Amino acid sequence: MRKALVTCLILLVVLGGIFVAGDIIGRRVAQNEIAKNVRAQYTLDHTPKVSIKGFPFLTQALDGRYDEIDVNVGELTEQGVRLTDTVVALKGVTAPMSDAMHGDASKMVADTATSTATIGYDDVNKQAPNNMKVSAQGSELQVRGPYTVLGVTRTVTATVTVEASGRSVRVVPQKVKAGGMAVPIGLVRQAFSFTMPVKGLPLGTRISDVQVKPEGLRVSTTAQNVKLSSLNVH
């Protein structure tokens, strides 16, 4: 009896080890294949890092539904705009097991997709009107540019707020100075208020948050019912 019990325990340990090993290998294969697919989709010069969350992987694969798949794209260029530290989190992903194991994204759909990326100020300046220059001053964003009143052109510096506006970023002045002197906000509000579309967003994506960082604007986006194969459609 004791011998049979020991044998069963050994068998369970062996089977458990095989299951864990298979789970690790299966997860790694699926991650690598999806990474290759994303690289080809974005025509990247590097392979992104893909992480399939949740344990065990094999039960998720058999069900054809994954808790979360994170894709660390890193740096990419979309429609002439350079994005850095680009990360996409796909939650509630539905995909046939064979498709996931082969990196086929044609049938993969996520309940929700959130992404974050940084747009450098050089690229932000390209979209700012009237040769205005945008830069970070600590946690605040400043816009500097020319303003003409009564035939006199002065260089005006405005401290602005940035907010999400659909698929764009809205810039609104809060404090304005010219030559070190405060300027009534009403005089320049219209000239220094503008909306910048963010290029390269997947269809159905909306900007949910914008943060001012020293290196650029950190933009977060959200979308519902996203096909993995359409991440690069814009």
Side-chain angles (χ1 to χ4, degrees):
M1 182 69 177
R2 182 178 178 183
K3 184 177 180 180
L5 180 61
V6 171
T7 301
C8 287
L9 290 174
I10 293 174
L11 183 60
L12 287 174
V13 170
V14 171
L15 290 176
I18 293 173
F19 177 82
V20 171
D23 195 83
I24 293 173
I25 294 172
R27 185 190 306 268
R28 189 170 299 166
V29 169
Q31 289 175 165
N32 290 342
E33 291 301 318
I34 293 173
K36 291 177 184 178
N37 184 286
V38 174
R39 176 176 180 169
Q41 189 180 149
Y42 280 93
T43 61
L44 300 173
D45 59 3
H46 62 280
T47 301
K49 182 179 179 181
V50 174
S51 177
I52 300 176
K53 305 293 186 179
F55 181 86
F57 163 78
L58 291 178
T59 57
Q60 294 185 85
L62 290 172
D63 290 340
R65 187 169 176 84
Y66 305 82
D67 296 336
E68 180 176 346
I69 299 178
D70 293 345
V71 184
N72 189 335
V73 180
E75 182 179 317
L76 72 153
T77 300
E78 286 294 309
Q79 299 186 32
V81 177
R82 178 172 169 265
L83 305 177
T84 59
D85 299 326
T86 306
V87 179
V88 181
L90 306 165
K91 295 186 177 181
V93 180
T94 302
M97 181 177 181
S98 59
D99 290 355
M101 297 301 292
H102 292 91
D104 183 358
S106 61
K107 298 179 183 178
M108 293 186 184
V109 180
D111 291 341
T112 62
T114 59
S115 66
T116 54
T118 299
I119 306 172
Y121 291 116
D122 286 346
D123 286 308
V124 174
N125 286 334
K126 294 176 184 177
Q127 301 184 63
N130 303 323
N131 295 317
M132 294 180 181
K133 301 299 180 184
V134 180
S135 61
Q137 297 295 324
S139 60
E140 295 184 327
L141 190 68
Q142 288 190 347
V143 177
R144 184 179 177 87
Y147 181 74
T148 302
V149 59
L150 298 177
V152 179
T153 300
R154 303 285 299 273
T155 298
V156 174
T157 301
T159 300
V160 303
T161 58
V162 288
E163 56 191 34
S165 179
R167 292 166 64 85
S168 303
V169 174
R170 180 71 176 162
V171 174
V172 181
Q174 300 298 319
K175 296 183 294 183
V176 182
K177 290 184 177 181
M181 299 180 60
V183 176
I185 191 70
L187 289 178
V188 297
R189 183 185 299 275
Q190 184 173 354
F192 278 75
S193 298
F194 55 92
T195 300
M196 299 182 299
V198 179
K199 299 178 180 180
L201 296 179
L203 292 174
T205 297
R206 296 180 63 85
I207 297 174
S208 56
D209 185 51
V210 184
Q211 296 182 6
V212 177
K213 299 294 183 181
E215 64 276 12
L217 296 180
R218 187 69 174 166
V219 178
S220 299
T221 68
T222 59
Q224 308 292 324
N225 299 318
V226 179
K227 290 184 177 180
L228 187 60
S229 60
S230 70
L231 283 179
N232 199 29
V233 177
H234 39 258

